[in-house]
Amino acid sequence: MLEGMTEANCIFCKIANGEIPTEIIFQSEQILAFNDIAPEAAIHALIIPKKHFRDVADLTTQDKTLAAELLAAATELAEQLTDGNFKLQFNTGAEAGQTIFHVHAHLLSNSPRKLT
Ligand code: 5GP
Ligand code: ZN
């Protein structure tokens, strides 16, 4: 995946606009969440703003309200899916492992919420 990727050829923009069908696990006006195609934990979801930002640094610089909304959505999803033990991760920059240059939070957990 090219680091210079823009909205035109961005896979997460295509998921957000429905061009690539994906099972949605959470949706609001501005936020979308879906399961990672290659899960690295029992729970591995990706939470994105529908609008394109390159990474979490760009998002936070350009729209703090949306950044807060992304964090709130990720945390709410974590509360629904896990027992409270989870990681939220933003890979930022190719050398830090970012491969898709549309900001996304990884929600990772091996502690699924127990059904009561
Ligand atoms: P990054 O390495 O950029 O932090 O994370 C990108 C993540 O997106 C990876 O964990 C990868 O498995 C996931 N991914 C890549 N392409 C797709 C896709 O088409 N659908 C879904 N659901 N996940 C994807
Ligand atoms: Zn995008």
Side-chain angles (χ1 to χ4, degrees):
M1 218 59 72
L2 292 174
E3 203 167 337
M5 182 159 47
T6 57
E7 294 162 66
N9 55 7
C10 171
I11 192 165
F12 285 179
C13 281
K14 288 181 180 171
I15 287 175
N17 70 25
E19 254 181 87
I20 297 177
T22 303
E23 193 186 342
I24 303 305
I25 58 173
F26 172 88
Q27 167 142 233
S28 69
E29 200 181 325
Q30 303 200 74
I31 306 290
L32 200 62
F34 46 90
N35 286 317
D36 197 291
I37 204 168
E40 289 177 9
I43 294 164
H44 188 172
L46 301 172
I47 304 96
I48 67 168
K50 293 177 182 173
K51 189 174 172 196
H52 184 93
F53 293 88
R54 184 177 192 286
D55 57 32
V56 71
D58 267 10
L59 170 64
T60 306
T61 304
Q62 292 174 37
D63 193 338
K64 287 187 172 47
T65 305
L66 186 56
E69 220 181 292
L70 182 68
L71 195 54
T75 306
E76 276 166 34
L77 195 58
E79 280 171 9
Q80 282 174 30
L81 299 179
T82 80
D83 67 358
N85 294 278
F86 62 88
K87 297 180 199 178
L88 281 181
Q89 183 170 319
F90 291 91
N91 296 332
T92 305
E95 285 177 31
Q98 187 175 6
T99 58
I100 299 202
F101 289 83
H102 178 132
V103 60
H104 51 280
H106 292 261
L107 168 62
L108 294 151
S109 175
N110 285 313
S111 306
R113 185 173 179 174
K114 290 171 187 67
L115 295 173
T116 48

